[in-house]
Amino acid sequence: MANVDYPDPVRALIVHLKQLPGIGPKSAERIAVWLMQQGEEVSTPFSEVMESAGREVIECRLCGFFSTHEKGCAVCDGLQRDGSLLCVVEQPTDILPLERSGAFRGHYHSLRGRISPLDNIGPEELRIRELLDRLRAGAFTEVILALSSDVEGEATANYIAELLRGIEGISVTRLAQGMPAGGGLESADELTLMRALQGRVGLG
Ligand SMILES: [Zn+2]
């Protein structure tokens, strides 16, 4: 006796949905069935926005934030930014919480991760060369390390601070203590971020 299963297009949809973060097999099945039941009125615009996000959104080659081919980067192209301050974060998603805190109007640099030997992530895997290139161009006078306060974040901060020692005219600071460990800046509230920025401390 043949097993009865969903038709192939639904099974294919479930396979793709299961790849999404936080979506297990049960949720994938539920979403796929819901989409099918809504029909083309919902599924067509859904697939269109997904396709255009995948096609148009790129990583800004300067700061690493999300940008689009058409409109560029809202951070790097933004007006009235302090061109002497550069805030280094782990992920592009760390930029928005800092922006929302209202306490920082300089520029950003996302590393796209942090040094993590267990995950085979060394300095070469991060956007550190790009960081050095930006600093050597000469406009920045202070680099603020806004990395998480766990072991890997600390190791990354120390590594970068050591590298920057060799660059003339740049002082290196870090956020005041109290940043969440590991969870990234997204999990910090705006007031905490504002205080952490205002209370930043110099590194050697
Ligand atoms: Zn940018």
Side-chain angles (χ1 to χ4, degrees):
M1 200 170 74
N3 282 330
V4 176
D5 201 344
Y6 293 113
D8 287 346
V10 184
R11 294 221 320 257
L13 184 55
I14 293 172
V15 166
H16 280 83
L17 287 168
K18 268 198 295 202
Q19 296 173 14
L20 300 177
I23 304 287
K26 283 273 168 230
S27 300
E29 191 175 331
R30 212 161 42 231
I31 295 168
V33 169
W34 180 84
L35 271 170
M36 291 309 101
Q37 288 170 337
Q38 304 310 302
E40 281 180 52
E41 209 175 301
V42 168
S43 65
T44 302
F46 194 83
S47 66
E48 281 169 1
V49 291
M50 201 146 66
E51 201 254 320
S52 86
R55 191 185 55 233
E56 288 170 29
V57 179
I58 50 171
E59 182 184 80
C60 170
R61 70 189 165 76
L62 267 185
C63 71
F65 189 57
F66 307 99
S67 68
T68 64
H69 291 294
E70 199 182 328
K71 290 195 168 165
C73 172
V75 179
C76 294
D77 302 342
L79 299 170
Q80 295 179 329
R81 292 221 158 244
D82 186 338
S84 68
L85 296 177
L86 185 65
C87 181
V88 177
V89 295
E90 289 173 14
Q91 299 292 347
T93 46
D94 292 333
I95 291 174
L96 284 178
L98 287 163
E99 278 293 287
R100 290 184 187 127
S101 80
F104 185 74
R105 280 291 170 264
H107 286 268
Y108 295 95
H109 191 90
S110 148
L111 296 172
R112 209 198 286 129
R114 55 204 175 137
I115 296 171
S116 173
L118 287 178
D119 302 312
N120 283 323
I121 300 175
E124 320 75 48
E125 272 71 49
L126 305 177
R127 299 179 68 247
I128 291 179
R129 205 186 48 225
E130 290 88 337
L131 172 66
L132 295 177
D133 287 345
R134 288 180 85 183
L135 295 176
R136 289 199 184 104
F140 296 108
T141 57
E142 182 183 346
V143 171
I144 303 159
L145 300 174
L147 309 175
S148 49
S149 57
D150 57 3
V151 177
E152 292 168 342
E154 291 284 326
T156 311
N158 290 336
Y159 179 85
I160 291 175
E162 196 55 47
L163 278 182
L164 301 193
R165 243 182 262 279
I167 302 182
E168 193 108 356
I170 299 227
S171 67
V172 183
T173 58
R174 60 183 305 159
L175 293 185
Q177 289 304 314
M179 297 311 301
L185 300 188
E186 300 137 276
S187 44
D189 64 81
E190 287 164 20
L191 189 63
T192 307
L193 278 176
M194 198 171 83
R195 288 196 181 130
L197 268 164
Q198 287 166 346
R200 62 188 189 262
V201 288
L203 278 178

